[in-house]
Amino acid sequence: MKGMMMEYKFMPRAARLEVEAPHQVAGYASVFGRADKGGDIVMPGAYAASLRTLAARGERVRMLWQHDPAAPIGIWDEVHEDAHGLFVRGRLLPDVARAREAAALLAAGAVDGLSIGYRTRQSEPRAGGGRKLIELDLWEVSLVTFPMQAEARLQGKSALVAEIAALRAQVQAARAGVAQI
């Protein structure tokens, strides 16, 4: 049934996904006025009603790994619209194995995208294809491998990412020591 299914939009790479200390990620999960690969354009204010409803219910937008509802990897502490788009700031939870894996993949540059999971409440067709997305019911923002828009890149390093790099160096040094024996 159209309008009732979960949809996904991927973060544009130019808007940048940042990894900050300690264990924080930040960036734009959606940029207004830019066509994605499917031709859809999210309009300013598209998330406002959804964010107000979530706040009124004491709920949050979920942070997932690759849109998998069985794989929450952190908490979005801040989700708001500004003139540019939907900004998110949150933290990976280092006690969650998949969050540690995500941090390692972020550190290696293997994953650098954000993507939104939503339901369309109001849209209009665009000439030439795609839609103007006027009102969206936002459910989740995921860290993803393949963003729909091609602009999200990793910036900075978190304590968790630095920790993983240090452990990797220790393992390599230990392997080199064993090889000499």
Side-chain angles (χ1 to χ4, degrees), residues 12-146:
R13 291 180 193 234
R16 299 279 187 197
L17 171 63
E18 296 181 24
V19 178
E20 307 168 338
H23 320 298
Q24 291 190 344
V25 290
Y28 282 90
S30 175
V31 175
F32 297 138
R34 307 258 333 237
D36 65 20
K37 291 176 184 174
D40 289 345
I41 296 177
V42 178
M43 304 306 294
Y47 303 102
S50 180
L51 294 175
R52 279 192 306 271
T53 299
L54 286 169
R57 292 192 308 227
E59 296 179 13
R60 294 178 181 218
V61 174
R62 306 297 181 186
M63 181 192 292
L64 300 180
W65 176 247
Q66 308 282 359
H67 296 297
D68 183 350
I73 57 171
I75 305 284
W76 292 119
D77 295 311
E78 180 182 350
V79 179
H80 70 269
E81 288 186 341
D82 62 21
H84 188 66
L86 182 70
F87 179 81
V88 296
R89 180 182 311 280
R91 25 190 178 107
L92 296 171
L93 299 176
D95 290 336
V96 175
R98 187 146 292 152
R100 290 191 305 274
E101 292 171 12
L105 292 166
L106 287 167
V111 172
D112 63 1
L114 289 173
S115 176
I116 59 172
Y118 65 97
R119 185 178 56 157
T120 302
R121 291 203 169 270
Q122 183 182 357
S123 67
E124 296 174 357
R126 290 184 57 225
R131 304 169 291 172
K132 270 188 180 178
L133 301 174
I134 298 165
E135 184 179 349
L136 302 176
D137 187 10
L138 182 64
W139 292 2
E140 55 95 1
V141 176
S142 285
L143 297 178
V144 297
T145 308
F146 299 108

